[in-house]
Amino acid sequence: MVTLQSSRSVQSSQAAMARLGWVFADAWTIAVRDLQHWRQQPGIVIFNWVFPILIVLMFGLLFGGAIVVPEGTSYFEFLMPGMFAVTMLFGLETTMMAVTTDAAKGVTDRFRSMPMSASAVVLGRCIADMLNSIVGLVILAVTGLVLGWRWHGSVGAAFAAFGLLLLLRFALLWVGIFMGLNAKGPESVATIQVLVWPVSFLSNVFVDPATMPAWLGAIAQWNPLSVTSSAARTLFENAGTSWAAENAVLLAILMPLVITAVFLPLSVRKFRHLNQ
Amino acid sequence: MNSRTSAVLASGVRKQYAGGAEGAGLNGFDLEVGAGTVCGLLGPNGAGKTTAIKILATLLALDAGQARVAGFNVVTEAALVRQHIGLVGQYAAIDEILTCRQNLMLFGRLNHLSGRNARQRADHLLEQFDLVAAANTPASKLSGGMRRRLDLAVSLIVSPQVLFVDEPTTGLDPAGRLEVWAAIRTLVREGTTVLLTTQYLEEADQLADRISMLKAGRVIAEGTPDDLKSTFGTNWLDIVVDGVADIDAAKAILQPFAAGELHIDAESRRISIPVQDRIRALTGVTTAFEDAQIALEDLSLRRPTLDEVFLHLNSSVPTNRQPEVA
């Protein structure tokens, strides 16, 4: 029998640091792979970035006139912060599609049979998807500015609002990874592409929940999208004073953290149980 | 052999899937693959081939038993096993969107080669697997055979000690199959230990030094391809006579060479006889027909097919299969 002189039991902290270094290096390699996907399939990526603009135009110009908004604000100003949040929700599809495609094509198994850490795979996905969403947010914000949307607060508050939006995106990343690992194949992503619509509509993104039946409005108010939208409206000062929900910002920090606290361990557990 | 010379050593491996739906389990799987050899794991769908590969490649946890790959325990030393193996799964596990070169670079970098080394390795492998012309083609646009070759190339970036190849030619056309066989032969020449699974006896015959036959999660027979065929299968000699009138005379000539009952199909004027010694039967029969001056339209030797070997094994080996959930 080959006996293994185990030096592993005396791992120095240097070795641990080296391993951590490789986690980041591998994660970056995997993130770069996604950036290469953008170059190989620019059509898909650009469509994903432009799609929210189409929704803004549709609601802003077509339906907007007929929608009642809280006093002291225009529909367009009301809509933009909500659309930023919806764009973060759309990112869920991107994450789920990437994760489920890798699993279906055996790429996940290939990663798992290689001497690299699972954290690197996840971290790489995280970097790539966050970059994607940042670009999407910038494109939508610039479009909004061109069409007349403005923030009325400080630049710092505006950045804080974008930060909260990306925090929501970060939370949805884990939902996407979890659902992607559980999906039967890329086809199941189509279901999610449909489901994002009722989730978006059942929020304060497009209409004021005060105009809904009380019970439905209550559900809409607690939609994480609504919470982040409210916080963004508050920080951008895009809502009349009556709208400034006192705790919106606090909730917009807490709720994504709760989602992350639930779905991050679930994703890790699912990944570990792929070997069952 | 012992674990020093065995690249793969499995004993009594058991694996049962919850619900039994996802794949075939293993019921006391034993396997030994000598370093530098090619072992074919042969079996029908549902015999447990993929399950065995996944356990040995550390992708799947085993319920009971022991397995060592490249000298390391697949459960307690999984990380070390992963440093010494390459895996070519049942479906080409490559990034479909990236080009051939980008795929090789990606997995080279993830194998912790420097940028320069990864590039050199990519160039070398593109050359070796005849993919230079397709270097900048996205993988999704490749033919099945090319895609499989790219898959193999990716698995060989760091020259693994042991390479697992799961059904390398399933779904390929004959040309693609030959391409992949040639690629695997190249690896073998370079000394890589290969464990490949297949449903095709011909494939195992072409590539493997030894074959382990798998049925219901257990190895039921093991040996060189020739061993297995001569032990479990029957060779057939087929002749087709020119005229129906010759059939009776031909029967008389063939009888002494037959190791069993003759099969006669009068309509196609074909007579088939089971034979023991292939070459002696072939030369003997040819001479006898020449001497009798009976003209033959066709004469051929058929090797036993996998079906025959399996039919034989099915009828003679108890399966011990665990009761299944319906």
Side-chain angles (χ1 to χ4, degrees):
Chain A
M1 293 291 280
V2 175
T3 41
L4 220 104
Q5 290 313 318
S6 159
S7 57
R8 281 164 289 126
S9 52
V10 282
Q11 280 167 344
S12 62
S13 62
Q14 261 176 325
M17 286 304 290
R19 254 202 327 277
L20 195 64
W22 277 122
V23 169
F24 285 109
D26 292 341
W28 181 243
T29 304
I30 288 176
V32 168
R33 166 196 176 215
D34 265 64
L35 303 191
Q36 288 174 324
H37 285 187
W38 299 5
R39 275 188 57 183
Q40 291 286 336
Q41 302 191 317
I44 294 175
V45 187
I46 291 171
F47 178 79
N48 281 335
W49 287 334
V50 170
F51 187 64
I53 296 175
L54 296 179
I55 307 293
V56 164
L57 293 177
M58 195 164 80
F59 276 87
L61 303 179
L62 276 175
F63 303 144
I67 295 175
V68 180
V69 287
E71 238 168 284
T73 181
S74 75
Y75 184 65
F76 195 64
E77 295 237 320
F78 174 84
L79 178 65
M80 280 309 292
M83 267 316 294
F84 291 137
V86 169
T87 306
M88 300 300 99
L89 179 64
F90 288 161
L92 176 74
E93 296 166 26
T94 310
T95 303
M96 191 180 164
M97 184 61 111
V99 171
T100 190
T101 305
D102 274 357
K105 297 282 179 202
V107 174
T108 305
D109 275 353
R110 165 95 72 191
F111 287 151
R112 290 175 60 224
S113 74
M114 288 171 65
M116 58 184 275
S117 102
S119 335
V121 181
V122 176
L123 188 60
R125 166 106 333 273
C126 181
I127 296 170
D129 285 353
M130 293 307 283
L131 280 176
N132 189 330
S133 289
I134 289 170
V135 175
L137 265 186
V138 168
I139 290 176
L140 190 60
V142 169
T143 311
L145 288 170
V146 168
L147 292 173
W149 166 74
R150 294 288 180 271
W151 63 75
H152 306 291
S154 66
V155 175
F159 271 99
F162 285 122
L164 287 180
L165 288 159
L166 289 172
L167 181 65
L168 176 67
R169 178 67 186 91
F170 180 76
L172 292 174
L173 182 86
W174 299 104
V175 182
I177 291 175
F178 178 70
M179 295 203 303
L181 287 174
N182 279 290
K184 288 276 177 282
E187 300 78 24
S188 3
V189 179
T191 318
I192 299 304
Q193 285 170 337
V194 173
L195 281 178
V196 296
W197 291 109
V199 171
S200 308
F201 290 143
L202 193 57
S203 74
N204 66 13
V205 167
F206 297 105
V207 294
D208 182 354
T211 64
M212 302 176 189
W215 61 274
L216 201 60
I219 296 173
Q221 285 284 21
W222 284 97
N223 185 333
L225 274 186
S226 305
V227 171
T228 300
S229 300
S230 295
R233 283 178 184 132
T234 307
L235 289 167
F236 289 136
E237 293 184 21
N238 282 149
T241 40
S242 63
W243 238 94
E246 294 267 309
N247 299 317
V249 173
L250 183 64
L251 275 176
I253 294 170
L254 284 181
M255 220 178 230
L257 290 181
V258 170
I259 295 174
T260 307
V262 172
F263 281 94
L264 191 149
L266 277 178
S267 301
V268 171
R269 187 167 165 274
K270 181 68 194 170
F271 202 84
R272 291 230 172 98
H273 280 70
L274 286 177
N275 75 343
Q276 289 306 302
Chain B
M1 278 194 282
N2 58 38
S3 63
R4 190 170 288 279
T5 53
S6 301
V8 177
L9 191 60
S11 64
V13 174
R14 288 179 182 279
K15 171 75 191 174
Q16 216 60 48
Y17 287 99
E22 269 184 78
L26 294 179
N27 302 310
F29 171 81
D30 299 314
L31 184 72
E32 184 161 17
V33 183
T37 67
V38 183
C39 173
L41 201 53
L42 185 65
N45 275 335
K49 299 189 296 292
T50 300
T51 304
I53 293 282
K54 284 194 163 174
I55 285 174
L56 294 172
T58 76
L59 294 183
L60 203 59
L62 45 76
D63 297 341
Q66 270 219 355
R68 300 181 80 82
V69 171
F72 302 109
N73 187 304
V74 295
V75 178
T76 57
E77 297 165 319
L80 287 162
V81 170
R82 283 181 209 134
Q83 286 176 15
H84 294 87
I85 60 167
L87 170 69
V88 185
Q90 216 171 98
Y91 306 99
I94 43 178
D95 188 310
E96 300 265 324
I97 301 167
L98 298 185
T99 66
C100 291
R101 187 188 299 277
Q102 284 175 328
N103 264 292
L104 287 165
M105 287 292 293
L106 166 70
F107 288 104
R109 296 292 286 170
L110 291 178
N111 273 304
H112 300 168
L113 298 182
S114 69
R116 191 157 152 255
N117 286 344
R119 231 182 327 275
Q120 282 175 352
R121 195 75 188 123
D123 285 334
H124 177 79
L125 288 165
L126 286 169
E127 191 105 15
Q128 185 183 344
F129 286 89
D130 197 16
L131 290 165
V132 176
N136 297 315
T137 308
S140 58
K141 301 231 164 72
L142 299 176
S143 73
M146 290 170 101
R147 196 181 296 211
R148 227 47 178 117
R149 264 155 39 208
L150 175 60
D151 197 19
L152 277 170
V154 166
S155 310
L156 293 171
I157 287 170
V158 285
S159 309
Q161 224 169 305
V162 183
L163 181 69
F164 299 108
V165 191
D166 196 7
E167 302 205 4
T169 60
T170 298
L172 291 188
D173 59 17
R177 182 166 297 179
L178 290 179
E179 288 171 12
V180 170
W181 285 357
I184 292 178
R185 282 201 193 94
T186 312
L187 308 182
V188 177
R189 273 201 296 279
E190 289 175 2
T192 310
T193 305
V194 179
L195 176 60
L196 75 99
T197 74
T198 178
Q199 304 185 47
Y200 310 112
L201 181 65
E202 193 199 353
E203 185 159 290
D205 209 355
Q206 288 278 342
L207 299 173
D209 302 312
R210 296 186 77 82
I211 295 178
S212 284
M213 287 210 157
L214 196 61
K215 185 190 167 192
R218 287 175 55 219
V219 173
I220 52 171
E222 197 274 337
T224 66
D226 284 334
D227 284 350
L228 286 173
K229 277 184 279 189
S230 52
T231 314
F232 300 111
T234 314
N235 289 288
W236 289 89
L237 185 69
D238 292 341
I239 66 144
V240 179
V241 290
D242 248 353
V244 186
D246 293 333
I247 285 184
D248 282 337
K251 257 168 69 180
I253 293 172
L254 289 169
Q255 198 72 61
F257 298 97
E261 214 173 312
L262 277 71
H263 289 233
I264 300 163
D265 180 2
E267 203 174 323
S268 61
R269 308 182 309 280
R270 179 188 299 274
I271 307 174
S272 305
I273 62 166
V275 294
Q276 286 287 349
D277 186 332
R278 297 158 48 87
I279 303 306
R280 210 169 61 92
L282 187 63
T283 50
V285 167
T286 319
T287 320
F289 274 97
E290 258 170 29
D291 291 348
Q293 296 198 323
I294 296 175
L296 292 181
E297 194 178 296
D298 197 13
L299 173 73
S300 61
L301 255 180
R302 259 193 297 141
R303 284 192 161 261
T305 62
L306 173 62
D307 294 341
E308 280 174 353
V309 176
F310 263 107
L311 283 176
H312 183 94
L313 289 169
N314 269 333
S315 56
S316 58
V317 180
T319 64
N320 284 350
R321 198 182 170 99
Q322 305 284 314
E324 273 179 321
V325 186

Short mmCIF file of all heavy atoms in Angstrom, two decimals, chain B residues 60-104:
data_model
loop_
_atom_site.label_atom_id
_atom_site.label_comp_id
_atom_site.label_asym_id
_atom_site.label_seq_id
_atom_site.Cartn_x
_atom_site.Cartn_y
_atom_site.Cartn_z
N LEU B 60 -19.18 11.79 -6.95
CA LEU B 60 -20.31 11.15 -6.31
C LEU B 60 -19.78 10.43 -5.07
O LEU B 60 -18.72 9.82 -5.12
CB LEU B 60 -20.89 10.14 -7.32
CG LEU B 60 -22.33 9.70 -7.20
CD1 LEU B 60 -23.26 10.90 -7.28
CD2 LEU B 60 -22.65 8.74 -8.35
N ALA B 61 -20.54 10.51 -3.98
CA ALA B 61 -20.13 9.83 -2.76
C ALA B 61 -20.55 8.37 -2.82
O ALA B 61 -21.61 8.05 -3.34
CB ALA B 61 -20.77 10.52 -1.56
N LEU B 62 -19.71 7.47 -2.30
CA LEU B 62 -20.10 6.06 -2.29
C LEU B 62 -20.74 5.72 -0.95
O LEU B 62 -20.49 6.36 0.07
CB LEU B 62 -18.90 5.15 -2.59
CG LEU B 62 -17.56 5.41 -1.91
CD1 LEU B 62 -17.56 4.94 -0.48
CD2 LEU B 62 -16.46 4.68 -2.69
N ASP B 63 -21.60 4.70 -0.95
CA ASP B 63 -22.28 4.30 0.28
C ASP B 63 -21.41 3.35 1.10
O ASP B 63 -21.39 3.41 2.33
CB ASP B 63 -23.60 3.57 -0.04
CG ASP B 63 -24.59 4.48 -0.74
OD1 ASP B 63 -24.41 5.72 -0.65
OD2 ASP B 63 -25.52 3.97 -1.39
N ALA B 64 -20.71 2.44 0.42
CA ALA B 64 -19.87 1.48 1.12
C ALA B 64 -18.77 1.03 0.18
O ALA B 64 -18.84 1.23 -1.03
CB ALA B 64 -20.71 0.27 1.56
N GLY B 65 -17.73 0.41 0.76
CA GLY B 65 -16.62 -0.06 -0.05
C GLY B 65 -15.48 0.93 -0.07
O GLY B 65 -15.51 1.94 0.67
N GLN B 66 -14.48 0.66 -0.91
CA GLN B 66 -13.28 1.48 -0.95
C GLN B 66 -12.86 1.69 -2.38
O GLN B 66 -13.02 0.80 -3.21
CB GLN B 66 -12.15 0.74 -0.23
CG GLN B 66 -12.07 1.03 1.24
CD GLN B 66 -10.63 1.15 1.70
OE1 GLN B 66 -9.71 0.92 0.92
NE2 GLN B 66 -10.45 1.52 2.94
N ALA B 67 -12.31 2.86 -2.65
CA ALA B 67 -11.77 3.08 -3.99
C ALA B 67 -10.55 3.99 -3.90
O ALA B 67 -10.56 4.97 -3.16
CB ALA B 67 -12.83 3.70 -4.90
N ARG B 68 -9.51 3.63 -4.63
CA ARG B 68 -8.31 4.45 -4.69
C ARG B 68 -8.00 4.73 -6.15
O ARG B 68 -8.12 3.85 -7.00
CB ARG B 68 -7.13 3.73 -4.05
CG ARG B 68 -7.33 3.38 -2.58
CD ARG B 68 -6.11 2.70 -2.02
NE ARG B 68 -5.07 3.65 -1.67
CZ ARG B 68 -5.07 4.33 -0.52
NH1 ARG B 68 -6.02 4.16 0.36
NH2 ARG B 68 -4.11 5.18 -0.27
N VAL B 69 -7.63 5.97 -6.42
CA VAL B 69 -7.25 6.35 -7.78
C VAL B 69 -5.89 7.04 -7.68
O VAL B 69 -5.71 7.93 -6.83
CB VAL B 69 -8.29 7.29 -8.40
CG1 VAL B 69 -7.78 7.85 -9.72
CG2 VAL B 69 -9.60 6.55 -8.63
N ALA B 70 -4.95 6.60 -8.50
CA ALA B 70 -3.57 7.11 -8.47
C ALA B 70 -2.99 7.00 -7.05
O ALA B 70 -2.17 7.81 -6.64
CB ALA B 70 -3.53 8.57 -8.96
N GLY B 71 -3.45 6.02 -6.30
CA GLY B 71 -2.92 5.79 -4.96
C GLY B 71 -3.64 6.53 -3.85
O GLY B 71 -3.33 6.35 -2.69
N PHE B 72 -4.62 7.37 -4.22
CA PHE B 72 -5.30 8.16 -3.20
C PHE B 72 -6.74 7.71 -3.02
O PHE B 72 -7.41 7.32 -3.98
CB PHE B 72 -5.29 9.65 -3.57
CG PHE B 72 -3.90 10.19 -3.75
CD1 PHE B 72 -3.44 10.52 -5.02
CD2 PHE B 72 -3.05 10.33 -2.66
CE1 PHE B 72 -2.15 11.00 -5.19
CE2 PHE B 72 -1.76 10.81 -2.84
CZ PHE B 72 -1.31 11.14 -4.10
N ASN B 73 -7.21 7.80 -1.79
CA ASN B 73 -8.57 7.41 -1.46
C ASN B 73 -9.56 8.45 -1.99
O ASN B 73 -9.41 9.65 -1.72
CB ASN B 73 -8.67 7.29 0.06
CG ASN B 73 -10.00 6.73 0.50
OD1 ASN B 73 -11.05 7.26 0.16
ND2 ASN B 73 -9.96 5.63 1.23
N VAL B 74 -10.54 7.99 -2.73
CA VAL B 74 -11.45 8.96 -3.38
C VAL B 74 -12.33 9.70 -2.39
O VAL B 74 -12.88 10.76 -2.71
CB VAL B 74 -12.35 8.29 -4.45
CG1 VAL B 74 -11.54 7.75 -5.59
CG2 VAL B 74 -13.23 7.22 -3.84
N VAL B 75 -12.47 9.16 -1.18
CA VAL B 75 -13.32 9.83 -0.19
C VAL B 75 -12.49 10.77 0.68
O VAL B 75 -12.75 11.96 0.77
CB VAL B 75 -14.07 8.81 0.69
CG1 VAL B 75 -14.91 9.53 1.73
CG2 VAL B 75 -14.93 7.91 -0.18
N THR B 76 -11.44 10.20 1.29
CA THR B 76 -10.69 11.00 2.27
C THR B 76 -9.61 11.86 1.63
O THR B 76 -9.12 12.80 2.24
CB THR B 76 -10.04 10.07 3.31
OG1 THR B 76 -9.20 9.14 2.62
CG2 THR B 76 -11.08 9.31 4.10
N GLU B 77 -9.24 11.55 0.39
CA GLU B 77 -8.19 12.33 -0.27
C GLU B 77 -8.66 12.84 -1.63
O GLU B 77 -7.90 12.87 -2.59
CB GLU B 77 -6.93 11.47 -0.44
CG GLU B 77 -6.32 11.03 0.89
CD GLU B 77 -5.31 9.91 0.74
OE1 GLU B 77 -5.56 8.98 -0.05
OE2 GLU B 77 -4.29 9.96 1.41
N ALA B 78 -9.93 13.25 -1.66
CA ALA B 78 -10.55 13.65 -2.93
C ALA B 78 -9.75 14.75 -3.63
O ALA B 78 -9.56 14.71 -4.85
CB ALA B 78 -11.99 14.10 -2.70
N ALA B 79 -9.25 15.71 -2.86
CA ALA B 79 -8.53 16.83 -3.47
C ALA B 79 -7.27 16.32 -4.18
O ALA B 79 -6.92 16.82 -5.25
CB ALA B 79 -8.17 17.86 -2.40
N LEU B 80 -6.60 15.33 -3.57
CA LEU B 80 -5.39 14.79 -4.20
C LEU B 80 -5.73 13.96 -5.43
O LEU B 80 -5.02 14.01 -6.44
CB LEU B 80 -4.62 13.92 -3.19
CG LEU B 80 -3.91 14.74 -2.12
CD1 LEU B 80 -3.55 13.88 -0.92
CD2 LEU B 80 -2.65 15.37 -2.70
N VAL B 81 -6.85 13.25 -5.35
CA VAL B 81 -7.28 12.49 -6.53
C VAL B 81 -7.48 13.45 -7.69
O VAL B 81 -7.03 13.22 -8.81
CB VAL B 81 -8.59 11.72 -6.24
CG1 VAL B 81 -9.17 11.14 -7.52
CG2 VAL B 81 -8.33 10.60 -5.23
N ARG B 82 -8.16 14.58 -7.40
CA ARG B 82 -8.48 15.54 -8.47
C ARG B 82 -7.24 16.11 -9.14
O ARG B 82 -7.31 16.58 -10.27
CB ARG B 82 -9.33 16.69 -7.91
CG ARG B 82 -10.74 16.28 -7.70
CD ARG B 82 -11.60 17.42 -7.18
NE ARG B 82 -12.67 16.86 -6.38
CZ ARG B 82 -13.04 17.30 -5.20
NH1 ARG B 82 -12.45 18.36 -4.67
NH2 ARG B 82 -14.01 16.73 -4.54
N GLN B 83 -6.11 16.11 -8.42
CA GLN B 83 -4.88 16.63 -9.03
C GLN B 83 -4.30 15.64 -10.03
O GLN B 83 -3.38 15.98 -10.76
CB GLN B 83 -3.85 16.95 -7.95
CG GLN B 83 -4.21 18.20 -7.18
CD GLN B 83 -3.24 18.48 -6.05
OE1 GLN B 83 -2.16 17.92 -5.99
NE2 GLN B 83 -3.65 19.33 -5.13
N HIS B 84 -4.78 14.41 -10.01
CA HIS B 84 -4.15 13.38 -10.85
C HIS B 84 -5.07 12.81 -11.92
O HIS B 84 -4.70 11.85 -12.58
CB HIS B 84 -3.64 12.24 -9.96
CG HIS B 84 -2.52 12.67 -9.06
ND1 HIS B 84 -2.74 13.22 -7.82
CD2 HIS B 84 -1.19 12.67 -9.24
CE1 HIS B 84 -1.59 13.52 -7.27
NE2 HIS B 84 -0.62 13.21 -8.10
N ILE B 85 -6.27 13.33 -12.02
CA ILE B 85 -7.21 12.73 -12.97
C ILE B 85 -7.69 13.73 -14.01
O ILE B 85 -7.61 14.94 -13.82
CB ILE B 85 -8.46 12.15 -12.26
CG1 ILE B 85 -9.20 13.26 -11.51
CG2 ILE B 85 -8.07 11.02 -11.34
CD1 ILE B 85 -10.59 12.86 -11.07
N GLY B 86 -8.16 13.18 -15.11
CA GLY B 86 -8.89 13.98 -16.09
C GLY B 86 -10.21 13.26 -16.30
O GLY B 86 -10.29 12.05 -16.16
N LEU B 87 -11.25 14.04 -16.62
CA LEU B 87 -12.57 13.43 -16.80
C LEU B 87 -13.17 13.88 -18.11
O LEU B 87 -13.24 15.07 -18.38
CB LEU B 87 -13.49 13.82 -15.64
CG LEU B 87 -14.96 13.45 -15.80
CD1 LEU B 87 -15.15 11.95 -15.75
CD2 LEU B 87 -15.81 14.12 -14.74
N VAL B 88 -13.56 12.94 -18.92
CA VAL B 88 -14.31 13.27 -20.12
C VAL B 88 -15.69 12.65 -19.92
O VAL B 88 -15.86 11.44 -20.00
CB VAL B 88 -13.64 12.69 -21.38
CG1 VAL B 88 -14.38 13.15 -22.62
CG2 VAL B 88 -12.19 13.09 -21.44
N GLY B 89 -16.65 13.49 -19.60
CA GLY B 89 -17.98 13.01 -19.25
C GLY B 89 -18.75 12.56 -20.47
O GLY B 89 -18.27 12.62 -21.61
N GLN B 90 -19.98 12.14 -20.22
CA GLN B 90 -20.77 11.57 -21.31
C GLN B 90 -21.15 12.62 -22.34
O GLN B 90 -21.32 12.32 -23.51
CB GLN B 90 -22.02 10.94 -20.71
CG GLN B 90 -22.42 9.69 -21.45
CD GLN B 90 -23.51 8.95 -20.72
OE1 GLN B 90 -24.67 9.08 -21.06
NE2 GLN B 90 -23.15 8.18 -19.73
N TYR B 91 -21.31 13.85 -21.89
CA TYR B 91 -21.59 14.94 -22.83
C TYR B 91 -20.39 15.85 -22.80
O TYR B 91 -19.83 16.11 -21.74
CB TYR B 91 -22.85 15.69 -22.41
CG TYR B 91 -24.00 14.75 -22.25
CD1 TYR B 91 -24.38 14.29 -21.01
CD2 TYR B 91 -24.65 14.25 -23.38
CE1 TYR B 91 -25.42 13.38 -20.88
CE2 TYR B 91 -25.68 13.35 -23.26
CZ TYR B 91 -26.06 12.91 -22.00
OH TYR B 91 -27.07 12.00 -21.88
N ALA B 92 -19.96 16.30 -23.97
CA ALA B 92 -18.78 17.14 -24.05
C ALA B 92 -18.91 18.31 -23.09
O ALA B 92 -19.74 19.18 -23.29
CB ALA B 92 -18.58 17.61 -25.48
N ALA B 93 -18.09 18.30 -22.04
CA ALA B 93 -18.19 19.34 -21.01
C ALA B 93 -17.28 20.50 -21.37
O ALA B 93 -16.24 20.69 -20.78
CB ALA B 93 -17.83 18.76 -19.65
N ILE B 94 -17.69 21.24 -22.38
CA ILE B 94 -16.91 22.40 -22.77
C ILE B 94 -17.84 23.59 -22.81
O ILE B 94 -19.05 23.44 -22.81
CB ILE B 94 -16.27 22.19 -24.17
CG1 ILE B 94 -17.32 21.56 -25.10
CG2 ILE B 94 -15.05 21.31 -24.07
CD1 ILE B 94 -16.83 21.36 -26.49
N ASP B 95 -17.23 24.77 -22.80
CA ASP B 95 -18.03 25.99 -22.89
C ASP B 95 -18.43 26.18 -24.35
O ASP B 95 -17.59 26.39 -25.21
CB ASP B 95 -17.22 27.17 -22.39
CG ASP B 95 -18.06 28.41 -22.28
OD1 ASP B 95 -18.75 28.75 -23.27
OD2 ASP B 95 -18.05 29.05 -21.22
N GLU B 96 -19.73 26.08 -24.60
CA GLU B 96 -20.23 26.10 -25.98
C GLU B 96 -20.01 27.45 -26.67
O GLU B 96 -19.90 27.52 -27.88
CB GLU B 96 -21.74 25.82 -25.99
CG GLU B 96 -22.11 24.49 -25.40
CD GLU B 96 -22.23 23.43 -26.48
OE1 GLU B 96 -22.70 23.76 -27.57
OE2 GLU B 96 -21.84 22.28 -26.22
N ILE B 97 -20.01 28.50 -25.87
CA ILE B 97 -19.96 29.84 -26.45
C ILE B 97 -18.52 30.21 -26.83
O ILE B 97 -18.28 30.89 -27.82
CB ILE B 97 -20.56 30.87 -25.47
CG1 ILE B 97 -22.01 30.49 -25.16
CG2 ILE B 97 -20.49 32.27 -26.04
CD1 ILE B 97 -22.60 31.23 -23.99
N LEU B 98 -17.57 29.72 -26.04
CA LEU B 98 -16.17 30.07 -26.29
C LEU B 98 -15.61 29.28 -27.47
O LEU B 98 -16.11 28.22 -27.82
CB LEU B 98 -15.33 29.78 -25.05
CG LEU B 98 -15.67 30.54 -23.78
CD1 LEU B 98 -14.66 30.21 -22.69
CD2 LEU B 98 -15.71 32.04 -24.02
N THR B 99 -14.55 29.81 -28.05
CA THR B 99 -13.87 29.11 -29.15
C THR B 99 -13.02 27.98 -28.57
O THR B 99 -12.83 27.88 -27.35
CB THR B 99 -12.94 30.06 -29.91
OG1 THR B 99 -11.89 30.45 -29.02
CG2 THR B 99 -13.67 31.29 -30.40
N CYS B 100 -12.50 27.14 -29.48
CA CYS B 100 -11.62 26.04 -29.04
C CYS B 100 -10.46 26.58 -28.22
O CYS B 100 -10.17 26.08 -27.13
CB CYS B 100 -11.06 25.29 -30.24
SG CYS B 100 -12.30 24.36 -31.14
N ARG B 101 -9.81 27.59 -28.75
CA ARG B 101 -8.64 28.12 -28.05
C ARG B 101 -9.03 28.72 -26.70
O ARG B 101 -8.37 28.51 -25.70
CB ARG B 101 -7.92 29.17 -28.91
CG ARG B 101 -6.59 29.63 -28.30
CD ARG B 101 -6.02 30.80 -29.07
NE ARG B 101 -5.75 30.45 -30.46
CZ ARG B 101 -4.63 29.82 -30.86
NH1 ARG B 101 -3.73 29.50 -29.98
NH2 ARG B 101 -4.45 29.54 -32.12
N GLN B 102 -10.16 29.45 -26.68
CA GLN B 102 -10.59 30.06 -25.42
C GLN B 102 -10.91 28.99 -24.37
O GLN B 102 -10.61 29.16 -23.20
CB GLN B 102 -11.82 30.94 -25.65
CG GLN B 102 -11.48 32.28 -26.32
CD GLN B 102 -12.71 33.10 -26.65
OE1 GLN B 102 -13.77 32.55 -26.94
NE2 GLN B 102 -12.58 34.41 -26.60
N ASN B 103 -11.52 27.88 -24.82
CA ASN B 103 -11.80 26.78 -23.90
C ASN B 103 -10.50 26.24 -23.30
O ASN B 103 -10.39 26.05 -22.09
CB ASN B 103 -12.52 25.64 -24.62
CG ASN B 103 -14.02 25.71 -24.44
OD1 ASN B 103 -14.52 25.50 -23.33
ND2 ASN B 103 -14.74 26.02 -25.50
N LEU B 104 -9.52 26.00 -24.18
CA LEU B 104 -8.25 25.44 -23.70
C LEU B 104 -7.54 26.42 -22.76
O LEU B 104 -6.96 26.02 -21.76
CB LEU B 104 -7.36 25.08 -24.89
CG LEU B 104 -7.82 23.84 -25.66
CD1 LEU B 104 -7.14 23.75 -27.02
CD2 LEU B 104 -7.55 22.58 -24.85
#
